[in-house]
Amino acid sequence: MTHRELAELAYSMLDRSYSPYSKFPVGAALLCADGRVFTGCNVENAAYGSTICAERTALVKAVSEGVREFVTLAVVGRGEDFCWPCGACRQMLREFAPNLEVVVGNGKKELTVIPLPELLPHSFGPESLT
């Protein structure tokens, strides 16, 4: 699957976003090592801390289906800037895919690609607990 194809799946999730507070819909698509793709959107809550990001929605859907190996994540928004994953999402992704390729897109459907280790340098992972 190309970066563009994965990003288009993420863009298709923007209309499913529940973002009445931020008015900032985000879509994600997570490509698994076995070729499956899990999508997600952000789901906000009046108790802001209960909000879940699109990236974590896709990740939790995949993990709940037994998938543990991931190759590429696309995360997109409608803003002018690229839609970078937040710190909490970076850490959750790092748990399962420390070398994940991350594709980020903006409202003009421009894309850029960056490896997760560049987004979360000197990260803490399962091996840090030994």
Side-chain angles (χ1 to χ4, degrees):
M1 174 168 285
T2 69
H3 292 152
R4 174 63 56 194
E5 290 168 334
L6 191 64
E8 287 302 326
L9 289 172
Y11 280 112
S12 75
M13 295 304 296
L14 292 174
D15 289 333
R16 294 187 182 182
S17 167
Y18 178 73
S19 47
Y21 307 106
S22 72
K23 310 278 192 272
F24 192 83
V26 178
L30 182 61
L31 176 62
C32 306
D34 66 7
R36 286 188 282 175
V37 175
F38 289 85
T39 56
C41 62
N42 55 326
V43 180
E44 295 181 350
N45 190 278
Y48 295 144
S50 298
T51 294
I52 186 167
C53 299
E55 303 93 300
R56 285 183 283 152
T57 299
L59 179 66
V60 170
K61 285 170 64 175
V63 170
S64 71
E65 293 299 317
V67 181
R68 301 286 192 277
E69 295 180 22
F70 309 105
V71 178
T72 309
L73 169 77
V75 57
V76 302
R78 291 188 175 131
E80 289 184 31
D81 194 8
F82 290 108
C83 192
W84 300 103
C86 74
C89 288
R90 293 174 193 201
Q91 183 62 47
M92 285 286 294
L93 293 162
R94 163 54 175 94
E95 180 77 12
F96 295 96
N99 295 306
L100 186 71
E101 181 177 55
V102 181
V103 178
V104 292
N106 62 18
K108 296 182 221 170
K109 293 198 173 183
E110 297 167 324
L111 303 177
T112 191
V113 181
I114 188 168
L116 184 60
E118 286 186 33
L119 288 175
L120 190 65
H122 311 289
S123 65
F124 185 89
E127 70 284 354
S128 301
L129 297 173
T130 59

